[in-house]
Amino acid sequence: MTETITSRPVRPGTPQAPPALGGLGLFTVLLAAALPLVDFFIVNVALPTIGADLSASEAVLELVVAGYGVAYAVLLVLGGRLGDLFGRRRLFLGGMAAFGLTSLACGLAPDAWSLVAARVAQGASAAAMLPQVLATIQATTSGPRRAKAMGLYGATAGLSMVAGQILGGVLVAADIAGTGWRSVFLVNVPVVLAGLFLAARAVPETRSARPEPVDVPGTFLLAASILTLLVPLTEGRAAGWPLWTWLSLAAFPFAAAAFYAVERRADRAGRTPLVPPSLFAIVSLRRGLLLIVPFSIGFSGFMFVIAVALQQGAGLGPVAAGLALAPLAVVFFLFSLAGPRLVARYGTRVVPTGAALQGLGLALMTLAAWRSWPDLGLVELLPGAAVAGAGQALQLPVVLRLVLSEVPAERAGVGSGVMVTTQQSSLALGVATLGTLFLSLTPGMGMRDALVTTLLVQLAAVALTGLLALRLPRTMN
């Protein structure tokens, strides 16, 4: 199987130029990579304002977050397969345009349920766009250029998750032209228009020369597996844990087992299933994905919990609540720049070092919450947030690069879809599990003790991440 890559029509007999993703093209795809992650976190600090303006219940507000995350997670692998089939640039442009339109729909939503529907559609459009970013990088770069591009992708992903929460607070407080919370969605529209203009000129077209058709049974079973796990966990507490939540969770292992059986059968028959089990024979991919799970669960859970605690418990406004995490974002960015050099010298040993630093930073923030509550803000969180940011920067970019380092170019779309699905499902699971734990403990324990307990649980997840990091391959391509 070979890879077909074109940036412009080629006349018969004309030698085709070597595939390359230039600096402007790389900037464009990284801009697109930032958008879905920013939008996953940007609503955290806007939820109280949305609830007050639209008279939305807590359960509906959770759907505003979960609807986006679940739709995004369910369709990511399919988005990667469609890019292989129809052309990654084509899916990239279509997904980005749809993301802009659905962002506009979110910003103009007249009521809470319209916002939920628009968020689901926004998550689906993000799933068409994001896998093409990684697949394009894999197909159009190699050697040091690929290492640099993947390092920048990892840095962009991590920074976007923190910056989204900060940006959300600033936009809500700024109340631009009276838009209030709506600006957190409307801001995407001009960014998407600029991205489409740049992508049409700078992103080359890539696709597999002999792509496989869409794996329909695998697509439905993967969707069933993710939905039966994430939907009850995200909505269960607010809905009072009705019978359907328990039935759904009970169905999850059966849906997952059926999905694996169907995919293994297709793989052994020589077809390319939606998620080929043979792909997990790649040690770097398998162990990297395993590490992404606790890292992402802890990261997203922390971001959600700290946003609620700072606004509802410490009494901070949206700007102050967002800016309390600014040290984490700044230090993450600076250490991300140094990451490639450290990896070149020390290999993946920087990852367990990063986990240790993140654990130290989280312990400092837990101590600050216990000693300073309710006077918790930028100053109190600064030492811990800065140390945690350094630790996260030494983990996420490196692991994301490692996961795809040995994936063949013809499976770039499948590999990138599997990776971002794992990451996104884990992000949604983090909000569902740690968020539910925190909100369930608060009435009985008080917000301070609930926050401290939740942070200690996350610290256990960081310890698990560090142990898993010890099993990573020492070097990467």
Side-chain angles (χ1 to χ4, degrees), residues 237-249:
R237 186 197 63 83
W241 296 105
L243 178 62
W244 71 262
T245 59
W246 299 108
L247 292 176
S248 180
L249 288 171

Side-chain angles (χ1 to χ4, degrees), residues 151-195:
L152 288 172
Y153 172 85
T156 300
L159 189 60
S160 298
M161 291 188 278
V162 184
Q165 204 140 306
I166 297 172
L167 180 62
V170 172
L171 288 172
V172 170
D175 193 20
I176 302 168
T179 54
W181 61 266
R182 299 177 186 275
S183 60
V184 304
F185 302 112
L186 296 176
V187 71
N188 291 332
V189 177
V191 177
V192 164
L193 290 174

Side-chain angles (χ1 to χ4, degrees), residues 255-284:
F259 171 69
Y260 176 76
V262 166
E263 299 300 273
R264 184 177 61 177
R265 188 180 304 116
D267 209 12
R268 289 179 174 178
R271 301 190 299 272
T272 302
L274 190 70
V275 180
S278 60
L279 200 64
F280 294 92
I282 302 174
V283 174
S284 55

Side-chain angles (χ1 to χ4, degrees), residues 28-29 31-33 35 90-102 125-126 128-129 191-197 199:
T28 304
V29 297
L31 176 68
L35 284 173
R90 182 179 300 176
L91 262 290
F92 179 81
L93 290 169
M96 180 177 276
F99 191 84
L101 290 173
T102 52
S125 63
M129 175 177 63
V191 177
V192 164
L193 290 174
L196 289 171
F197 176 81

Side-chain angles (χ1 to χ4, degrees), residues 15 66 95 127 136 211 222 279 399 412 419:
T136 298
L222 177 62
L279 200 64
V399 174
M419 187 181 79

Side-chain angles (χ1 to χ4, degrees), residues 87-324:
R88 294 162 189 147
R89 179 175 177 270
R90 182 179 300 176
L91 262 290
F92 179 81
L93 290 169
M96 180 177 276
F99 191 84
L101 290 173
T102 52
S103 296
L104 181 63
C106 289
L108 299 178
D111 54 60
W113 286 107
S114 298
L115 178 59
V116 170
R119 283 284 282 173
V120 171
Q122 190 187 34
S125 63
M129 175 177 63
L130 186 62
Q132 319 315 326
V133 173
L134 286 166
T136 298
I137 290 173
Q138 286 291 104
T140 59
T141 61
S142 60
R145 289 185 66 248
R146 179 182 294 178
K148 179 181 178 181
M150 286 302 299
L152 288 172
Y153 172 85
T156 300
L159 189 60
S160 298
M161 291 188 278
V162 184
Q165 204 140 306
I166 297 172
L167 180 62
V170 172
L171 288 172
V172 170
D175 193 20
I176 302 168
T179 54
W181 61 266
R182 299 177 186 275
S183 60
V184 304
F185 302 112
L186 296 176
V187 71
N188 291 332
V189 177
V191 177
V192 164
L193 290 174
L196 289 171
F197 176 81
L198 294 174
R201 288 156 176 77
V203 177
E205 179 65 284
T206 70
R207 61 166 59 87
S208 293
R210 294 189 297 274
E212 296 285 341
V214 172
D215 174 14
V216 176
T219 299
F220 279 108
L221 287 170
L222 177 62
S225 301
I226 295 175
L227 288 171
T228 52
L229 177 65
L230 292 183
V231 172
L233 287 177
T234 53
E235 285 298 299
R237 186 197 63 83
W241 296 105
L243 178 62
W244 71 262
T245 59
W246 299 108
L247 292 176
S248 180
L249 288 171
F252 165 71
F254 296 100
F259 171 69
Y260 176 76
V262 166
E263 299 300 273
R264 184 177 61 177
R265 188 180 304 116
D267 209 12
R268 289 179 174 178
R271 301 190 299 272
T272 302
L274 190 70
V275 180
S278 60
L279 200 64
F280 294 92
I282 302 174
V283 174
S284 55
L285 179 137
R286 185 176 68 250
R287 294 184 180 176
L289 290 178
L290 192 61
L291 191 148
I292 284 175
V293 172
F295 180 92
S296 299
I297 288 174
F299 191 97
S300 64
F302 167 78
M303 297 295 285
F304 176 80
V305 167
I306 203 70
V308 174
L310 291 178
Q311 290 187 90
Q312 297 184 8
L316 300 184
V319 174
L323 291 179

